[in-house]
Amino acid sequence: MGRIARSLAVIVGAVIALSGCGLAIPADPHGTLDQVRDGSLRVGVSANPPWTDTHDDREPSGIEPRLVQRFADELNAEVEWTEGGESTLVSALERGELDIVIGGILDDTPWVDQAAMTLPYTDSTSEHGDRERHVMLTRMGENAFLVELERFLLGNGGVT
Amino acid sequence: MTARFGRTELPDRQARSLKRAERFEWLTLGYLAISIVLVYFVIGSSQAMKAAWIEDLLSLAPPIAFLVAIRIVNRRPTDRYPYGFHRSIGVAHLVAGVALFAMGTFLIVDSAIGLFRLEHPPIGSVQIFGQTIWLGWLMMAVMALTIPLPIYFGRVKMSLAKELHDKVLYADADMNKADWTTAVGTIVGVAGIGIGWWWADAAAALFIAAGILRDGVRNMRSAITDLMDTRATTFDGDRPHPVTAEIDTYLRALPWAAEVGSRVRDEGHVFHVESFIVPRHGRTPSLRKLREARDGCIELDWKVQDIVLVLVDELPEEVGGPVGDRQSERNR
């Protein structure tokens, strides 16, 4: 038992020590949250009304752009919008050129191997009467940013 | 159910150990069922959690194999199975070994691909009782819960495996001992993700997989060599079983025996013994003397089963006789 107790003590000690050094858990390997805070939030929008609407000369509108704008405001960030198709946007997300991709994406999205999915933040009913759960995509493994976004979405739960 | 292995009625001490082993295997199954469900709900996209979960699933194999084998071994020998059903232990052992080996290989490849592709595992949050917390904390908590019991089970089963000379039980005890390393490895991997070391998770999974693979190779080798009738070894396969030497010493001390050599193979719990005896010149023993010699050997250890005494004019080569051509086939 001694060895196990020691190993556990080491782990607990290491975690406490690391959080003591001001290291937030979870952290972002690429530092997304740090770059967004007081900086810019790069959002990919694919048109999918009423969740997202894109216009040639104006900023995107719709439920999700409004949510993202409020999230950016909380982090004191400027939003940089990029419009495009889902697959182009997800590729850009993978390369680290975007921080979030929105577009009325559902939790059964095929992009789960390329992008991290937030918790479903709201439900809707499809025209066939199925329950649909809505998520946003963030860059793989940027967990601090992911958790921050999830906190915001769930805290502002539901869509108004 | 009378506690017995084939025709061998177990001595009280071993019978009690067998009952206890059975109880512990049932407890293990219950514990694993709970652990498998708990871990399933927090796997997320952690490779290490996945490896730990699969390890839990695989850990079901040895207890089930043991419980099934114990029932089969309990049968008496029949016309069709004149050697009894002892080998069912060997078969169970082999099945467990191959399962471990295959899964270890799969997990190593799977985790290595993840590392190679620089996959950054995303771990988000969960909502529990209205609170949003990072799933990683929950993963680590669940893994920490799975540490103490396997250690206890492993210790008890290890001593019972020794008592019963049961290699499936030994393999199981060994796996329980490996379980806590798996849990610690997973905690380290998830904590690694937590502080931004995306590779820590896959690395921890590789470490766990290597452990599973090692268990698989060791058990598979031990099961195969036993089925190949390797000489009987101690329950952990470390060294030749002392009972072989004891039998030889006992028989050699008989006044009518000149040279003695025994072949002993492990049938699962009990041994099949063939002792070759060269009688002293002109002193062929009577049937009564032979029976006394046989009973004397059985007294040495409860594992001595189906002992056959063979009178020969020259010992076979493998048990100490002179080197010669095609001698063993004739068992001279």
Side-chain angles (χ1 to χ4, degrees):
Chain A
M1 288 286 185
R3 271 189 307 170
I4 297 115
R6 264 202 303 280
S7 328
L8 281 181
V10 168
I11 294 166
V12 172
V15 170
I16 292 171
L18 288 168
S19 35
C21 299
L23 206 64
I25 292 179
D28 292 334
H30 293 292
T32 301
L33 183 57
D34 287 341
Q35 287 159 23
V36 170
R37 189 171 275 136
D38 303 319
S40 59
L41 178 65
R42 300 163 304 170
V43 183
V45 189
S46 113
N48 186 0
W51 304 93
T52 45
D53 240 329
T54 52
H55 316 275
D56 286 339
D57 46 354
R58 278 182 294 134
E59 288 187 348
S61 60
I63 297 162
E64 286 182 342
R66 276 202 300 279
L67 271 173
V68 168
Q69 183 63 58
R70 272 166 61 202
F71 176 58
D73 292 345
E74 269 193 13
L75 292 174
N76 192 27
E78 272 317 302
V79 180
E80 294 172 15
W81 305 100
T82 306
E83 292 168 12
E86 257 184 42
S87 76
T88 321
L89 294 175
V90 168
S91 298
L93 190 68
E94 270 193 289
R95 289 193 300 270
E97 293 160 14
L98 291 175
D99 301 317
I100 302 182
V101 170
I102 54 176
I105 296 164
L106 303 179
D107 70 341
D108 60 356
T109 170
W111 302 115
V112 281
D113 290 334
Q114 283 86 44
M117 193 171 76
T118 63
L119 286 172
Y121 68 93
T122 190
D123 289 351
S124 68
T125 310
S126 76
E127 51 200 281
H128 307 294
D130 297 327
R131 199 166 80 120
E132 293 182 327
R133 288 138 56 95
H134 291 257
V135 300
M136 296 184 183
L137 301 180
T138 66
R139 191 177 180 192
M140 273 287 200
E142 298 299 280
N143 294 323
F145 180 72
L146 174 65
V147 169
E148 187 71 25
L149 178 60
E150 284 175 334
R151 281 222 177 89
F152 168 81
L153 289 174
L154 298 170
N156 293 263
V159 179
T160 44
Chain B
M1 189 168 94
T2 321
R4 55 161 72 239
F5 294 139
R7 284 209 191 287
T8 313
E9 292 213 5
L10 289 182
D12 283 348
R13 192 180 152 83
Q14 272 73 26
R16 273 198 305 276
S17 297
L18 184 62
K19 276 264 164 299
R20 189 142 181 257
E22 263 188 275
R23 202 167 58 234
F24 266 90
E25 292 296 35
W26 280 114
L27 281 175
T28 307
L29 287 180
Y31 156 77
L32 282 174
I34 295 170
S35 157
I36 286 168
V37 172
L38 266 182
V39 174
Y40 176 80
F41 282 113
V42 293
I43 283 185
S45 37
S46 158
Q47 190 70 24
M49 288 296 289
K50 182 171 145 198
W53 187 67
I54 290 176
E55 208 234 359
D56 267 3
L57 275 182
L58 282 171
S59 307
L60 287 171
I64 292 174
F66 175 83
L67 289 168
V68 171
I70 281 297
R71 270 156 188 75
I72 296 175
V73 154
N74 198 2
R75 296 187 200 160
R76 289 160 195 273
T78 63
D79 285 351
R80 203 167 136 74
Y81 291 95
Y83 294 98
F85 293 82
H86 303 291
R87 288 276 198 228
S88 57
I89 289 284
V91 175
H93 196 186
L94 184 61
V95 169
V98 171
L100 285 172
F101 176 80
M103 201 43 78
T105 311
F106 168 76
L107 286 175
I108 282 184
V109 172
D110 205 32
S111 315
I113 288 176
L115 266 185
F116 184 69
R117 287 199 189 142
L118 313 181
E119 277 172 12
H120 290 37
I123 298 182
S125 32
V126 278
Q127 275 196 303
I128 303 172
F129 307 121
Q131 291 286 319
T132 309
I133 65 160
W134 186 50
L135 179 59
W137 293 122
L138 207 60
M139 290 175 170
M140 290 192 264
V142 167
M143 276 293 130
L145 282 180
T146 64
I147 291 178
L149 266 183
I151 296 173
Y152 172 62
F153 285 160
R155 288 182 171 224
V156 173
K157 284 186 224 167
M158 192 61 85
S159 72
L160 291 173
K162 188 175 179 188
E163 187 89 32
L164 293 168
H165 191 77
D166 190 310
K167 289 182 180 172
V168 176
L169 202 55
Y170 173 71
D172 189 25
D174 217 23
M175 259 179 103
N176 285 158
K177 270 171 70 182
D179 271 355
W180 77 264
T181 5
T182 300
V184 172
T186 311
I187 293 175
V188 171
V190 174
I193 296 180
I195 60 174
W197 296 349
W198 59 270
W199 46 265
D201 180 55
L206 270 179
F207 168 76
I208 294 165
I212 297 176
L213 186 66
R214 199 196 53 213
D215 279 351
V217 168
R218 201 167 47 190
N219 281 298
M220 214 163 62
R221 191 165 54 203
S222 161
I224 290 173
T225 51
D226 276 348
L227 290 174
M228 285 284 295
D229 286 339
T230 181
R231 68 176 170 195
T233 59
T234 49
F235 76 109
D236 49 10
D238 271 355
R239 54 203 165 81
H241 199 282
V243 84
T244 311
E246 284 169 25
I247 289 172
D248 283 354
T249 311
Y250 171 80
L251 292 174
R252 223 171 261 138
L254 296 173
W256 50 268
E259 288 176 77
V260 175
S262 303
R263 293 197 299 208
V264 181
R265 53 183 161 175
D266 190 342
E267 290 277 304
H269 297 108
V270 296
F271 296 154
H272 278 189
V273 184
E274 291 160 332
S275 293
F276 299 94
I277 309 171
V278 180
R280 277 184 203 285
H281 185 65
R283 295 189 59 176
T284 308
S286 64
L287 281 178
R288 190 172 60 82
K289 285 230 165 14
L290 272 175
R291 195 183 62 219
E292 280 168 11
R294 188 196 62 197
D295 291 348
C297 291
I298 292 173
E299 290 293 309
L300 289 173
D301 195 310
W302 65 272
K303 289 190 286 292
V304 176
Q305 155 100 351
D306 267 358
I307 182 165
V308 178
L309 302 185
V310 189
L311 296 181
V312 288
D313 61 353
E314 195 177 65
L315 290 184
E317 190 185 329
E318 328 64 60
V319 296
V323 181
D325 289 341
R326 302 191 52 206
Q327 201 199 20
S328 65
E329 285 87 342
R330 286 190 206 126
N331 282 342
R332 284 153 56 102

